[in-house]
Structures are given as structure tokens and as C-alpha cells.
Amino acid sequence: MPNPKRKHTPSRRDSRRSQNWKLEVKSLSPCGQCGALRLPHRVCPACGSYNGKIEVAQKVAKSEEGKDQK
Ligand SMILES: [Zn+2]
């Protein structure tokens, strides 16, 4: 079985672990409906639309409906 011949130094270990902070979301595209920045291949958080259709009802609209019923 292949095994590491020597123990890695703490600096080499920490250098390897420090690479994870570079994973950031940089790709934000404007929504086709409202123009707000959203992640690609995700439902728009502002208007709830995806691929030109409203897939998810807005949370604001639901809260307003609840107020009207009370
Ligand atoms: Zn939108």
C-alpha cells in the first residue's frame, strides 16, 4: 500500500487547508423578470420566477393575504 514517507510539516498542512476559503460564488446574473441579481440555475429570490415563469409564490404576497383574512 502506498503511504506517505514522511510527516507533512504544519505549514504544509495549514497551506492545504487554507485553500477552501477561495471557494466563493462569483457568478451572479440579473433576473429576467425583475432584474435582481440571482444565482444561475436557481429560482429568483426576489420575484420567485425561473425560466420566465413564476414558479414560487412571493412570501410578501402570502403575508398580505394572511393579513386580509384576519
Ligand atoms: Zn426576479
Side-chain angles (χ1 to χ4, degrees):
M1 289 291 290
N3 268 328
K5 211 162 195 176
R6 295 195 183 279
K7 177 181 180 178
H8 285 180
T9 62
S11 68
R12 180 167 174 170
R13 177 202 64 200
D14 296 342
S15 175
R16 180 184 68 241
R17 291 179 181 175
S18 71
Q19 300 303 310
N20 288 327
W21 72 275
K22 291 183 178 179
L23 298 176
E24 293 179 358
V25 177
K26 292 182 179 178
S27 59
L28 289 173
S29 60
C31 172
Q33 295 292 323
C34 64
L37 290 179
R38 60 167 178 75
L39 291 170
H41 305 288
R42 300 291 193 281
V43 172
C44 174
C47 64
S49 68
Y50 186 80
N51 199 16
K53 301 174 184 176
I54 296 179
E55 300 288 350
V56 180
Q58 290 179 336
K59 293 180 180 179
V60 178
K62 288 181 179 177
S63 64
E64 288 180 351
E65 290 177 356
K67 291 178 181 176
D68 292 337
Q69 290 175 355
K70 290 177 182 176

